[in-house]
Amino acid sequence: MEQTINQGVAKKGKVLLLKFVGVLFVGLAVLGVVLPILPTTPFLLVAAACFAKSSPRLQRKLMANKTFGPMIHDWQTHRSIPRKAKRVALLTIVLSVVWSAFLLKSWPLTLLVIALVIGPFIFLWRLPLSK
């Protein structure tokens, strides 16, 4: 009996955490609409994934949004992102590496930064564009 109660509490905690993370990432996505260096689409995709596992109501609300819904739908059905989102994401990675190199002033650390971002950069580069 006690184990069942503990599992129920753990499940509720997980659901609340996923809802919180989803709302946080929607907030970051909204900031990304206003701030050109902050990408919107990846934050929306994380939020949609969190809501899919925690709140069908919030997921429906996000999918029904005129601005964000189509991007999420394209990702879920075709694994594609809009051209602008792809450009902004790739440019952000490149600018981050350049800025890091400028601040670090150390080739080994700059190479470490490049090594850390090369995987996500290639992943984004290879993603198809939504129609």
Side-chain angles (χ1 to χ4, degrees), residues 29-50:
V30 170
L31 277 176
V33 171
V34 179
L35 301 173
I37 192 120
L38 197 63
T40 302
T41 306
F43 293 132
L44 288 175
L45 298 178
V46 172
C50 289

Side-chain angles (χ1 to χ4, degrees), residues 66-83:
K66 292 178 185 177
T67 304
F68 299 148
M71 283 190 270
I72 298 167
H73 178 54
D74 283 346
W75 175 256
Q76 290 177 342
T77 56
H78 306 293
R79 292 291 189 247
S80 63
I81 62 173
R83 179 181 309 276

Side-chain angles (χ1 to χ4, degrees), residues 6 10 18 29 38 42-43 49-50 62 66 69 73-74 77 82 84 100 106-107 115 119 131:
N6 288 340
L18 286 171
L38 197 63
F43 293 132
C50 289
L62 189 59
K66 292 178 185 177
H73 178 54
D74 283 346
T77 56
K84 183 179 177 185
S100 296
S106 164
W107 281 107
K131 296 177 173 39

Side-chain angles (χ1 to χ4, degrees), residues 18-123:
L18 286 171
K19 282 182 186 178
F20 174 78
V21 170
V23 170
L24 175 69
F25 275 78
V26 168
L28 289 172
V30 170
L31 277 176
V33 171
V34 179
L35 301 173
I37 192 120
L38 197 63
T40 302
T41 306
F43 293 132
L44 288 175
L45 298 178
V46 172
C50 289
F51 292 153
K53 295 182 182 223
S54 65
S55 175
R57 180 182 65 83
L58 289 174
Q59 184 185 26
R60 282 191 305 273
K61 200 171 184 178
L62 189 59
M63 295 297 290
N65 184 283
K66 292 178 185 177
T67 304
F68 299 148
M71 283 190 270
I72 298 167
H73 178 54
D74 283 346
W75 175 256
Q76 290 177 342
T77 56
H78 306 293
R79 292 291 189 247
S80 63
I81 62 173
R83 179 181 309 276
K84 183 179 177 185
K86 186 174 184 175
R87 281 186 192 158
V88 169
L90 292 173
L91 183 62
T92 301
I93 290 173
V94 170
L95 292 176
S96 297
V97 169
V98 170
W99 183 249
S100 296
F102 174 75
L103 291 177
L104 295 172
K105 297 179 181 165
S106 164
W107 281 107
L109 291 176
T110 299
L111 290 175
L112 177 62
V113 169
I114 292 170
L116 291 172
V117 301
I118 197 79
F121 185 89
I122 291 170
F123 174 78

